[in-house]
Amino acid sequence: EAGVAQSPRYKIIEKRQSVAFWCNPISGHATLYWYQQILGQGPKLLIQFQNNGVVDDSQLPKDRFSAERLKGVDSTLKIQPAKLEDSAVYLCASSSGGRGTTDTQYFGPGTRLTVL
Amino acid sequence: DAKTTQPNSMESNEEEPVHLPCNHSTISGTDYIHWYRQLPSQGPEYVIHGLTSNVNNRMASLAIAEDRKSSTLILHRATLRDAAVYYCILRARGGSNYKLTFGKGTLLTVNP
């Protein structure tokens, strides 16, 4: 079974530029998550989708960050304009979305963003 | 969200058991205890989870205190590949959102 795919793996941009990240979840997974992980910290949930609807975006800085999940499969996360403090690893995860006790999240390798 | 407390770092020798502690004194009755780990330069991966009873799987064992205010992840024989950050997470229920809130975790170093 193929895992969660993310691209690009690395990105370097100047502040005030825009950037987009792409995620392809595990086939059949209804729930998709985007996390931000700053160096030395645990991942922080930015947004959660159930199919193509948003379940939780309470920690998404909506003035500069946006995300969409077209047709309930792939997703893109965009930052416009980027700030220095956006330098982090952006992780995508997916889960089957069941209401059971597990609903294990499977993570991709992440995109390391450096903002200069 | 209910909070967990873990040591910042721990060290172990290869092929010895490792006990990673986690305190969660404000856990509620419906919170499950999940453990994930993050190997260097990778995304986190699921390790194990439990509610009240001790749990075993091919990766590890989870021992949960009777009052559920603490738990211990047990790696029976540490290998170099087990060097990672281990996160103890309480899975909070909120509507349809079974979110995971990660702390800083415990950095496990395994010495050869």
Side-chain angles (χ1 to χ4, degrees):
Chain A
E1 178 182 79
V4 176
Q6 291 189 245
S7 68
R9 291 295 313 276
Y10 305 91
K11 190 74 177 178
I12 300 174
I13 61 173
E14 302 277 339
K15 61 183 178 184
R16 292 188 289 273
Q17 285 186 323
S18 60
V19 64
F21 313 124
W22 173 82
C23 172
N24 181 239
I26 291 173
S27 177
H29 277 190
T31 309
L32 185 147
Y33 312 79
W34 282 102
Y35 290 84
Q36 179 193 59
Q37 186 171 24
I38 292 171
L39 187 65
Q41 299 182 19
K44 181 182 83 172
L45 180 68
L46 292 176
I47 189 167
Q48 176 185 343
F49 292 95
Q50 181 77 14
N51 297 308
N52 59 354
V54 176
V55 174
D56 185 348
D57 64 356
S58 57
Q59 298 196 87
L60 186 73
K62 297 179 186 65
D63 57 334
R64 297 184 302 106
F65 286 64
S66 65
E68 61 180 5
R69 189 179 185 196
L70 300 174
K71 301 180 182 178
V73 181
D74 292 6
S75 178
T76 56
L77 176 69
K78 297 179 182 177
I79 308 175
Q80 182 179 15
K83 293 185 174 181
L84 296 177
E85 59 260 36
D86 298 332
S87 293
V89 175
Y90 291 85
L91 294 159
C92 179
S94 70
S95 68
S96 61
R99 287 178 174 261
T101 64
T102 48
D103 197 29
T104 300
Q105 293 187 24
Y106 297 86
F107 285 78
T111 297
R112 182 175 298 277
L113 173 68
T114 302
V115 182
L116 303 175
Chain B
D1 290 331
K3 197 173 176 179
T4 62
T5 304
Q6 299 178 253
N8 290 333
S9 62
M10 291 185 65
E11 209 167 316
S12 172
N13 295 321
E14 201 174 9
E15 297 190 5
E16 291 184 356
V18 181
H19 290 235
L20 297 164
C22 181
N23 288 319
H24 30 77
S25 58
T26 59
I27 190 170
S28 74
T30 55
D31 284 338
Y32 284 82
I33 302 157
H34 287 248
W35 284 81
Y36 279 71
R37 72 179 185 181
Q38 188 169 22
L39 302 173
S41 300
Q42 294 187 27
E45 63 176 350
Y46 168 82
V47 177
I48 200 167
H49 81 284
L51 182 63
T52 56
S53 304
N54 294 346
V55 185
N56 301 294
N57 66 20
R58 64 174 180 81
M59 289 180 73
S61 295
L62 177 60
I64 302 172
E66 199 168 326
D67 63 5
R68 300 209 328 125
K69 293 186 176 181
S70 65
S71 60
T72 302
L73 180 71
I74 302 165
L75 307 179
H76 294 286
R77 289 184 68 207
T79 69
L80 296 178
R81 197 196 172 277
D82 291 321
V85 177
Y86 286 78
Y87 297 99
C88 169
I89 304 165
L90 299 184
R91 184 146 198 194
R93 273 190 169 185
S96 60
N97 178 7
Y98 291 79
K99 64 191 293 182
L100 296 175
T101 302
F102 288 82
K104 290 190 175 182
T106 296
L107 175 62
L108 176 65
T109 301
V110 180
N111 300 313

